[in-house]
Amino acid sequence: MAEEKKAAKLPHNLILENRKNLHLSGVEDVESFDEQTVIAYTGLGQLVIRGKELHISKLNLESGELRLEGEISALAYTDSHAGKGGFLAKMFR
């Protein structure tokens, strides 16, 4: 339980380079992914990444690191983890 709280306190940073490479830190979980959408959970809420030909090049949940490659067209946050796995989240996958 102490490790879970420690992981939630990871700093969250987002670096987008030329809309082609995305580097994230503070990632707690990845709910789903395909070539058009990646849904990740951070300490600051759910992050939905949309684009074309998306590819996860690195995922390390212990360090909270996620790297994506592809044509990134949108990044959107929700406020919290409240909807994680809920009805609306499943409808909009």
Side-chain angles (χ1 to χ4, degrees):
M1 193 63 85
E3 288 182 37
E4 288 180 33
K5 289 183 181 179
K6 194 174 192 179
K9 294 185 180 184
L10 290 173
H12 176 59
N13 293 298
L14 183 148
I15 300 170
L16 179 60
E17 299 173 344
N18 297 320
R19 293 181 64 179
K20 299 282 182 202
N21 295 303
L22 180 65
H23 304 262
L24 293 169
S25 64
V27 175
E28 298 172 357
D29 193 15
V30 174
E31 180 177 301
S32 66
F33 62 92
D34 60 31
E35 289 188 345
Q36 290 88 30
T37 306
V38 176
I39 300 175
Y41 289 96
T42 72
L44 299 177
Q46 180 187 54
L47 175 61
V48 179
I49 304 148
R50 298 194 188 277
K52 295 179 185 175
E53 299 178 10
L54 297 178
H55 171 73
I56 294 177
S57 59
K58 181 175 184 178
L59 175 61
N60 184 334
L61 295 178
E62 287 182 18
S63 66
E65 186 177 4
L66 172 67
R67 292 183 185 219
L68 282 175
E69 298 172 350
E71 184 180 323
I72 298 164
S73 59
L75 302 166
Y77 284 95
T78 61
D79 289 334
S80 69
H81 289 278
K84 183 176 180 179
F87 176 73
L88 290 177
K90 291 177 182 175
M91 279 187 60
F92 293 105
R93 279 191 199 175

